[in-house]
């Protein structure tokens, strides 16, 4: 987000949501400095902007990991064991205390209301891979496989840098 980008939108308050969406698309989240900048540009209070950011689930206030793990916690998935999937994934990634992103910023776990694929419940998506009727063990295996692939990629990069 830059002043140049913002200046094209003037002081039109209706630009608030499109601007926030633009920041989110560019950075993956809406950082504090962007909120301040937008607040000054549109003459909207930061508390009003926070209200918008917290109202719409699409906005994130913290940076996300390189890999997204989306787990449905809708009714169909919930009754078919989604809480166990969530527990397994969070444990596998070492997430606790409400943190949704790993310390190395490789993974973010997002709990989604419904993917619209309830007949496949419970459903988990890791990046581009969707898995329905997933069990906690399968969820753990998906995570381990991704972690292994990331480690292999890093090792390859280190070798090529030597
Ligand atoms: S409730 Fe999980 S996909 Fe609909």
């Amino acid at each position: 987000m830059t002043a140049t980008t913002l200046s094209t939108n003037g002081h039109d308050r209706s630009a608030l949501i499109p601007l926030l969406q633009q920041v989110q698309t560019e950075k993956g989240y809406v950082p504090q400095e962007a909120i301040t900048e937008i607040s000054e540009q549109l003459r909207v209070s930061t508390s009003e902007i926070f209200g918008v950011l917290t109202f719409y689930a699409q906005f994130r206030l913290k940076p996300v990991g390189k890999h997204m793990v989306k787990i449905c916690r809708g009714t169909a998935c919930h009754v078919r064991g989604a809480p166990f999937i969530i527990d397994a994934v969070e444990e596998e990634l070492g997430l606790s205390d409400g943190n949704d992103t790993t310390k190395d910023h490789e993974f973010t776990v997002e709990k989604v209301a419904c993917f619209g694929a309830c007949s496949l419940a419970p459903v988990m998506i890791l990046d581009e891979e969707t898995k329905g009727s997933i069990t906690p063990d399968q969820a753990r295996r998906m995570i381990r496989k991704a972690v292994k692939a990331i480690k292999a990629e890093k090792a390859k990069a280190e070798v090529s840098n030597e």
Side-chain angles (χ1 to χ4, degrees), residues 72 74-77 114-118:
C72 180
T75 307
C77 287
C114 177
F115 290 125
C118 310

Side-chain angles (χ1 to χ4, degrees), residues 71-86 111-123:
I71 305 170
C72 180
R73 63 172 176 192
T75 307
C77 287
H78 182 85
V79 299
R80 292 190 196 164
F84 300 111
I85 308 298
I86 292 169
K111 294 146 198 162
V112 177
C114 177
F115 290 125
C118 310
S119 62
L120 299 175
V123 183

Side-chain angles (χ1 to χ4, degrees), residues 41-112:
Q41 179 69 38
L42 299 184
R43 296 175 187 152
V44 176
S45 71
T46 52
S47 59
E48 197 176 327
I49 296 176
F50 272 113
V52 169
L53 289 170
T54 50
F55 181 78
Y56 294 101
Q58 62 174 296
F59 293 118
R60 301 188 66 91
L61 293 166
K62 290 192 285 184
V64 289
K66 293 181 201 142
H67 304 275
M68 289 300 294
V69 183
K70 296 182 182 179
I71 305 170
C72 180
R73 63 172 176 192
T75 307
C77 287
H78 182 85
V79 299
R80 292 190 196 164
F84 300 111
I85 308 298
I86 292 169
D87 286 350
V89 168
E90 288 182 341
E91 192 185 302
E92 201 61 42
L93 291 174
L95 294 171
S96 58
D97 302 327
N99 288 321
D100 61 2
T101 300
T102 54
K103 287 194 179 100
D104 60 5
H105 289 98
E106 288 291 350
F107 293 92
T108 291
V109 175
E110 188 177 356
K111 294 146 198 162
V112 177

